[in-house]
Amino acid sequence: YEDDDMKIKQITSKTLIVTGEDDVGSKPRMSKEISKLIPGSLCKIIEKGRHLCNIECAENFNLTVKEFIDEQNNA
């Protein structure tokens, strides 16, 4: 996994990492760790979301992505 960490640390673009708080496949802890490796990234945990939070919690997910894009456009 060290090789993966090194590759992740090389990401320079604005990055949003999203997962559901109840995702058993991509646990919030994992997303937070990835976010720590990407300088300036943002990690968002979708409340009550699971692995398909983009479908299960579509409104919250879409708002999260929209806010991130709007923030980048206004930076």
Side-chain angles (χ1 to χ4, degrees):
Y1 296 110
E2 275 185 43
D3 288 342
D4 292 340
D5 288 356
M6 292 304 293
K7 289 178 184 175
I8 290 170
K9 288 178 182 179
Q10 295 174 1
I11 296 172
T12 58
S13 59
K14 301 292 183 180
T15 305
L16 172 64
I17 299 164
V18 183
T19 193
E21 73 176 344
D22 297 323
D23 189 335
V24 295
S26 178
K27 299 177 189 296
R29 173 187 53 77
M30 296 164 63
S31 295
K32 290 175 185 175
E33 290 298 317
I34 291 171
S35 181
K36 288 179 187 176
L37 296 174
I38 303 171
S41 67
L42 180 62
C43 181
K44 291 288 189 169
I45 310 299
I46 303 292
E47 188 176 316
K48 299 180 183 175
R50 293 182 295 170
H51 190 66
L52 296 173
C53 64
N54 60 320
I55 296 170
E56 301 159 345
C57 305
E59 189 172 325
N60 193 354
F61 179 88
N62 291 339
L63 181 60
T64 298
V65 173
K66 181 185 180 319
E67 288 174 351
F68 179 78
I69 291 170
D70 288 348
E71 197 173 289
Q72 301 316 306
N73 287 335
N74 293 325

